[in-house]
Amino acid sequence: MSTTFTLPISGMTCASCVGRVEKSLAKVPGVESVAVNLATEAATVTGGDGVTGNLLAQAVDAAGYAVPHEDMLLDIHGMTCASCVGRVEKALKAVPGVVGAEVNLATERATVHAYKGAVSQALLVAAVTRAGYRAAPPTQAPADADPAASAAARAWRERLPVIASALLSLPLVVPMAGEMAGQHWMLPAWMQWLLATPVQFWFGARFYRAGWGALKAGTGNMDLLVALGTSAAYGLSIYLWLTDQSGMPHLYFESAAVVITLVLLGKFLEARAKRQTTEAIRALQALKVPTARVRRANGQNDIALDAVVLGDIVVVKPGERIAVDGIIIEGATHADESMITGESWPAAKKVADRVTGGTLNGEGLIAVRTTAIGAETALSRIIRLVESAQAKKAPIQRIVDRVSAVFVPVVVVAAAVTLLGWGLYGGNWTTAWLNAVAVLVIACPCALGLATPTAIMAGTGVAARHGILIRDAEALEVAHAVRVVAFDKTGTLTIGHPVLTAIEGNHRSTGEVLRLAAALQAGSEHPLARAVAEAAARDNIEVPAMHEFAALPGRGVTAMVEGRRLKLGAARLLREEGLAPGALAGRAAQLEAQGNTVSWLSEPGRVLGLLAFGDTIKPAAADAIRRLTEQGIDTVLLTGDNAGAAQAVADRLGIRSVRSDVLPADKAEVITALKAQGRVAMVGDGINDAPALAAADVGIAMATGTDAAMHAAGITLMRGDPLLVADAIAISRRTYSKIRQNLFWAFIYNALGIPLAAFGMLNPMLAGAAMAFSSVSVVSNALLLKRWRPALHKTYET
């Protein structure tokens, strides 16, 4: 059967481009016809069964062009277990133009990767419907909706069937307890039937609907197992009631009713627990401010946040949330950025400082010029990162997918064998039916499907609340096995800008040297000049006026200060003046060996002193290296600095391995070589670190650095605090441990439960209770991750 693909193509500019693309596509085995349109920038390809969208995209790439992609989201309804996830993914991937699909049972959402413009949501919805499930575009709550009220209403709607089903089932269970105490409270058969029927066909209707949908799609799911099992118990009771002549037949209406009630209870508890795993997203979304106070020519106006444009001046009063990302142009304050960075202490903000939308303004009135709006704000990007991490699967989940794909057919066969075994060899078909029912009920693979996604959601959520953004589940899973962490130096372990590290006077005080140097540098925007000004301000030094300032290109600066011609600059400037460093030469050599830049202060005929500038190590860096060492992780310093400067930093921090004089282009090669020691994480913040971040098993970027670094990394640290590296690995290890625990318990429940039920050691009610408990225990275990906290430490604000 032939299939027609419509692929968007970017990069074509002329008729010869069209010819190259057509020729390349025609070479794909099985392609029957190709038509490429330059005006619409699309190719229409018809091919046989062996032709796939990925093959066609590869052919376009080989021709030197590209097929752009887009991600589409769908809410999926009706999934109950891991096998449901596999069927929905298979149905979505079968749609022409779809590159891949990821379905998350915990969030009940599908992320579909498709060729841009080649697939409509209607096609995806139809594919899900054919698979026996329901799909719809993601629902967006109204702007004025109360999340708490809507959540309470939804919880009540989910709770009501459980309560009603339990009330109807209770009179069926109480007589059984009476029998154990020697009391005969058994209800008449007609009354048992009257109580059990609404539970079976009204409250249990969801299982029949979902099971029938699975059958129509030629598959099976958990609902089918429940529907088959309870129907068998209900049908057996009807048969015994109608055929028994004793007047007191032993019926099993209570088994069917109680199983359905327990499964409904389990689904309710499971849904409530799953909602808790999405708290991180809801908390971040709650930070968005619906309106902004914008200063316009006609005064200040409160307008919808969507109406704010780049460059608008937004006024924020004390105690209000900052509405937009921007730069302060008036006022000073402190901002509580804890929900963005995880830093508990408010950050001081003044004119020219950046602020982030969603953070809380402190005591000051400020005016902010908008620099980012909509999807480009920091908060929106963070939400997308967390959503993406929670939607994607960890590699370990692929094992679960393969198992669940064949799980339901195997269980049905096991139930059939149980029925025939007990019936043919034991001779008691009633017992045979009950044991087969127990097999069907205990085998529901809910826990298996929830084991991995709930742990990932809880782990990424709690990490986000503490300033650690994990972009995908694979980074989370891989990070737990990291054995080597390579650090960039500048901006990662050091502050990233020069500060004054030492002052030495030649027969005069260091304060006098700093006072004269600050006068020379007054008004200059050079980084070294700012470092001198900051040091003078910190020491409350009164800086004298300077005159006749002049720059000396490549050497330094000169000016008149207090009637003296002063110069400040490199050693070359001293040589030009015929001056010798004298007693300060040894100290200068020592400072330079430590990676400092030395400037000399002089006047005609003599050297007044020296000033050393360096990139100061962050206060938390040494603790970060120590904690990684305690975790059994080797650390490597990877820098373009000279060997002396790099070794000096490494010695101060306790890093044993140093790779110095490494060009940016060679960093990725060093990372590849380090992989021989085990899994490698690279920590960096600059554009030049991006290739190394991508080459590492796990890239960890500082959000205080460049966007290029963050895009290349799997984990982003929202503060420039190297201690967060150890925290990121710690939460990764904790999450992976929870995944393994969950999978162990999920497999154990099924591995032990099915044989016990088959050998008659579990009745249907106990099987139903065990199945429900397995799902709830797996989700509850994952939720324990919410109690994780980073190790106590003092962070460093950049």
Side-chain angles (χ1 to χ4, degrees):
M1 186 179 69
S2 296
T3 304
T4 300
F5 297 84
T6 301
L7 302 179
I9 298 176
S10 62
M12 296 190 299
T13 57
C14 61
S16 60
C17 297
V18 171
R20 281 195 293 273
V21 173
E22 287 183 341
K23 185 177 180 180
S24 184
L25 287 170
K27 289 180 180 179
V28 176
V31 168
E32 298 166 4
S33 65
V34 180
V36 179
N37 190 317
L38 179 61
T40 59
E41 294 186 310
T44 303
V45 184
T46 302
D49 292 338
V51 178
T52 64
N54 284 334
L55 285 175
L56 298 177
Q58 290 170 12
V60 173
D61 288 338
Y65 303 91
V67 178
H69 294 66
E70 65 180 342
D71 288 346
M72 305 172 74
L73 298 177
L74 286 177
D75 285 339
I76 310 294
H77 305 285
M79 296 188 302
T80 53
C81 60
S83 55
C84 298
V85 171
R87 282 188 289 277
V88 174
E89 286 184 346
K90 185 177 179 181
L92 289 170
K93 290 176 181 176
V95 176
V98 171
V99 179
E102 295 157 351
V103 178
N104 191 315
L105 178 62
T107 58
E108 297 183 315
R109 178 163 287 189
T111 303
V112 181
H113 314 289
Y115 300 122
K116 192 171 183 180
V119 180
S120 67
Q121 280 192 329
L123 281 175
L124 299 177
V125 170
V128 174
T129 303
R130 286 193 299 272
Y133 304 89
R134 303 185 310 281
T139 54
Q140 296 292 335
D144 58 350
D146 183 352
S150 58
R154 182 172 54 187
W156 175 248
R157 287 194 303 270
E158 293 172 349
R159 189 183 296 118
L160 188 59
V162 180
I163 295 172
S165 181
L167 290 175
L168 289 170
S169 301
L170 188 62
L172 297 171
V173 177
V174 170
M176 292 182 61
E179 289 287 333
M180 295 167 59
Q183 302 296 320
H184 300 288
W185 299 337
M186 193 62 66
L187 298 174
W190 67 268
M191 189 172 291
Q192 293 184 49
W193 171 81
L194 199 63
L195 290 167
T197 299
V199 176
Q200 185 73 37
F201 299 109
W202 186 6
F203 300 114
R206 57 178 288 177
F207 303 113
Y208 287 98
R209 284 194 298 267
W212 176 243
L215 278 178
K216 286 196 299 182
T219 60
N221 60 7
M222 187 210 81
D223 298 295
L224 180 62
L225 298 180
V226 174
L228 286 174
T230 58
S231 296
Y234 182 88
L236 177 62
S237 300
I238 294 286
Y239 172 77
L240 293 174
W241 176 27
L242 296 178
T243 59
D244 189 90
Q245 303 300 318
S246 67
M248 286 298 293
H250 187 78
L251 307 180
Y252 300 95
F253 284 121
E254 81 285 342
S255 294
V258 170
V259 165
I260 287 177
T261 301
L262 286 171
V263 175
L264 289 174
L265 175 62
K267 299 302 288 182
F268 166 71
L269 295 175
E270 182 183 299
R272 187 175 68 175
K274 284 192 294 185
R275 282 197 298 274
Q276 293 181 38
T277 64
T278 61
E279 281 183 355
I281 293 291
R282 289 201 300 272
L284 288 169
Q285 289 173 335
L287 296 179
K288 290 185 176 180
V289 182
T291 61
R293 188 178 299 105
V294 177
R295 181 189 295 169
R296 297 273 171 83
N298 58 348
Q300 294 181 11
N301 299 294
D302 286 346
I303 64 174
L305 189 61
D306 292 342
V308 177
V309 299
L310 294 177
D312 270 346
I313 307 301
V314 176
V315 178
V316 187
K317 293 181 178 179
E320 293 182 340
R321 286 208 176 275
I322 299 170
V324 297
D325 288 11
I327 297 173
I328 296 178
I329 60 171
E330 295 176 15
T333 188
H334 284 79
D336 180 356
E337 300 179 328
S338 57
M339 279 303 293
I340 302 295
T341 66
E343 174 56 67
S344 57
W345 292 98
K349 300 291 181 180
K350 60 184 184 302
V351 171
D353 284 346
R354 292 185 175 275
V355 291
T356 304
T359 57
L360 190 63
N361 184 29
E363 74 286 357
L365 176 69
I366 57 174
V368 178
R369 176 177 286 109
T370 304
T371 58
I373 56 176
E376 297 307 312
T377 63
L379 183 58
S380 294
R381 290 200 302 270
I382 290 170
I383 291 173
R384 285 200 303 274
L385 276 172
V386 178
E387 285 179 333
S388 174
Q390 293 185 345
K392 290 185 178 178
K393 291 181 181 176
I396 198 170
Q397 179 67 17
R398 295 168 195 151
I399 301 172
V400 178
D401 292 344
R402 287 196 294 270
V403 171
S404 62
V406 297
F407 192 82
V408 174
V410 169
V411 170
V412 172
V413 170
V417 171
T418 301
L419 175 65
L420 295 174
W422 280 92
L424 294 176
Y425 293 98
N428 189 333
W429 286 98
T430 299
T431 301
W433 271 106
L434 289 175
N435 291 340
V437 167
V439 169
L440 292 171
V441 172
I442 193 67
C444 298
C446 300
L448 205 58
L450 292 167
T452 300
T454 50
I456 288 171
M457 292 174 67
T460 54
V462 72
R465 286 200 298 275
H466 292 94
I468 303 166
L469 294 183
I470 301 170
R471 190 169 68 179
D472 55 48
E474 186 167 358
L476 184 73
E477 182 173 329
V478 172
H480 90 278
V482 163
R483 291 293 172 264
V484 180
V485 175
F487 284 93
D488 169 56
K489 182 175 76 72
T490 306
T492 303
L493 294 174
T494 63
I495 295 174
H497 58 82
V499 295
L500 190 60
T501 56
I503 306 172
E504 299 288 343
N506 187 20
H507 305 297
R508 64 195 66 244
S509 68
T510 56
E512 175 68 6
V513 173
L514 179 58
R515 186 179 76 89
L516 296 175
L520 267 174
Q521 297 280 31
S524 173
E525 289 300 316
H526 191 278
L528 297 185
R530 287 198 295 270
V532 171
E534 288 171 1
R538 187 171 56 247
D539 293 348
N540 296 315
I541 290 176
E542 186 174 342
V543 179
M546 62 90 175
H547 308 282
E548 301 178 20
F549 176 86
L552 305 173
R555 294 166 292 166
V557 295
T558 180
M560 293 294 295
V561 178
E562 296 178 338
R564 303 156 66 185
R565 171 59 65 178
L566 301 180
K567 292 183 180 180
L568 180 66
R572 178 182 173 185
L573 195 59
L574 292 187
R575 291 194 294 271
E576 289 180 355
E577 296 292 317
L579 298 175
L584 295 179
R587 177 60 174 153
Q590 182 184 23
L591 290 169
E592 287 176 337
Q594 294 172 359
N596 292 284
T597 298
V598 174
S599 292
W600 297 89
L601 179 67
S602 66
E603 63 180 354
R606 60 178 171 173
V607 173
L608 301 178
L610 67 80
L611 296 90
F613 301 89
D615 191 0
T616 303
I617 294 174
K618 292 180 178 179
D623 284 341
I625 302 303
R626 177 184 54 79
R627 278 194 55 202
L628 288 170
T629 302
E630 290 172 354
Q631 291 177 348
I633 295 171
D634 291 331
T635 52
V636 176
L637 182 62
L638 185 59
T639 178
D641 279 0
N642 63 69
Q647 193 61 54
V649 171
D651 290 343
R652 289 182 61 186
L653 297 180
I655 298 176
R656 291 192 292 270
S657 181
V658 179
R659 303 288 195 281
S660 58
D661 297 302
V662 180
L663 297 175
D666 298 331
K667 282 188 176 183
E669 293 180 11
V670 175
I671 292 296
T672 302
L674 287 173
K675 287 184 178 181
Q677 302 177 33
R679 297 282 181 127
V680 177
M682 170 68 193
V683 188
D685 74 326
I687 292 175
N688 60 333
D689 296 322
L693 290 168
D697 294 299
V698 183
I700 303 177
M702 299 283 188
T704 48
T706 63
D707 287 344
M710 286 184 278
H711 288 314
I715 298 175
T716 298
L717 310 179
M718 294 307 294
R719 301 194 305 273
D721 185 351
L723 267 169
L724 285 178
V725 175
D727 291 333
I729 294 174
I731 185 59
S732 171
R733 289 180 174 179
R734 184 74 63 86
T735 303
Y736 190 71
S737 174
K738 288 296 179 188
I739 290 173
R740 287 188 296 182
Q741 291 170 18
N742 282 354
L743 288 176
F744 171 79
W745 285 113
F747 278 116
I748 284 295
Y749 272 115
N750 290 132
L752 295 181
I754 292 175
L756 289 175
F759 286 104
M761 301 173 70
L762 280 178
N763 64 45
M765 281 189 293
L766 288 176
M771 185 274 295
F773 180 72
S774 68
S775 296
V776 174
S777 62
V778 159
V779 177
S780 300
N781 187 43
L783 289 175
L784 292 176
L785 282 167
K786 296 171 64 178
R787 297 163 57 184
W788 178 83
R789 296 290 183 273
L792 294 176
H793 55 77
K794 182 179 178 181
T795 57
Y796 179 82
E797 294 182 19
T798 56

